[in-house]
Amino acid sequence: MKFGQWLQNHPHFLEQTYWLTHRVFTWLDPLIARLGYERMDRWLRGPEEWTKRIVFDCRMCGQCILHSTGMTCSMSCPKNLRNGPCGGVRANGHCEVFPDKPCVWVQAYNRSLEMPRYGDEILLIEPPVNRQLEGSSAWINMLTGQDKVVPKAWDQIEVIPIAEK
Ligand code: SF4
């Protein structure tokens, strides 16, 4: 088993690591702001891609939602789905496109059950991915709030909770 897969099968350890990294970045924010977000983005995106690719098969979408998806990268789904599986998941839990591979979303759900800190976030509805952020550092986008900026049309959609339908 690859090292990245082995680590992903320990989602509680990964969520704790995420929590700690989040705190460190938030604490360093004033310094990062002084150095300049653009400059820090240039410095950070390489190491961020390198580490996250090894562990998560990261595609550098620039708006990381790993903690909301069982520490499993939803962009590694061949359909890039951000809100759960498509209708093609096989009875054995494998992917419709790559039958020999487990569905990313089945893995995400199962792993989220082992995450006491962030596991419930799997129920959140994620906005569409903003392709303009592709290739940039998700950590810097988190600090600047760019990762919360969503495509315009999404602002105008009213999300109705299931119970009110
Ligand atoms: S959600 Fe985006 S930034 Fe996070 S691991 Fe996946 S592709 Fe990379």
Side-chain angles (χ1 to χ4, degrees):
M1 183 187 288
K2 283 193 214 156
F3 177 64
Q5 276 175 336
W6 180 83
L7 262 182
Q8 283 188 82
N9 287 333
H10 295 79
H12 180 50
F13 169 75
L14 287 176
E15 73 169 345
Q16 293 297 84
T17 307
Y18 170 83
W19 174 80
L20 188 65
T21 313
H22 187 277
R23 290 201 65 156
V24 169
F25 267 97
T26 308
W27 182 68
L28 287 175
D29 187 27
L31 175 64
I32 293 173
R34 277 195 82 159
L35 290 169
Y37 290 119
E38 278 187 31
R39 179 188 304 168
M40 289 304 291
D41 176 77
R42 284 197 300 278
W43 288 357
L44 277 178
R45 66 173 79 143
E48 181 176 329
E49 179 172 9
W50 188 76
T51 48
K52 284 162 83 174
R53 200 176 280 277
I54 289 174
V55 180
F56 303 108
D57 194 17
C58 170
R59 311 296 160 98
M60 288 298 280
C61 73
Q63 30 206 322
C64 198
I65 56 169
L66 277 170
H67 55 292
S68 303
T69 56
M71 302 307 290
T72 304
C73 177
S74 59
M75 301 306 284
S76 62
C77 160
K79 299 182 185 180
N80 283 185
L81 297 179
R82 299 276 274 196
N83 282 296
C86 68
V89 186
R90 294 164 192 271
N92 64 356
H94 279 207
C95 174
E96 179 182 31
V97 181
F98 301 115
D100 55 322
K101 291 187 178 168
C103 166
V104 167
W105 277 99
V106 171
Q107 290 181 310
Y109 178 76
N110 287 336
R111 288 169 179 160
S112 74
L113 299 177
E114 295 174 40
M115 291 170 50
R117 191 180 287 278
Y118 297 107
D120 287 350
E121 290 191 11
I122 193 103
L123 300 174
L124 296 177
I125 297 174
E126 301 293 342
V129 71
N130 184 352
R131 296 283 177 188
Q132 290 180 332
L133 296 179
E134 223 167 72
S136 58
S137 164
W139 285 115
I140 296 299
N141 293 333
M142 182 271 293
L143 292 178
T144 61
Q146 275 297 308
D147 63 342
K148 312 282 183 309
V149 178
V150 294
K152 194 71 195 146
W154 180 257
D155 285 347
Q156 292 149 21
I157 293 173
E158 188 187 355
V159 179
I160 304 168
I162 293 169
E164 291 178 20
K165 278 186 182 171

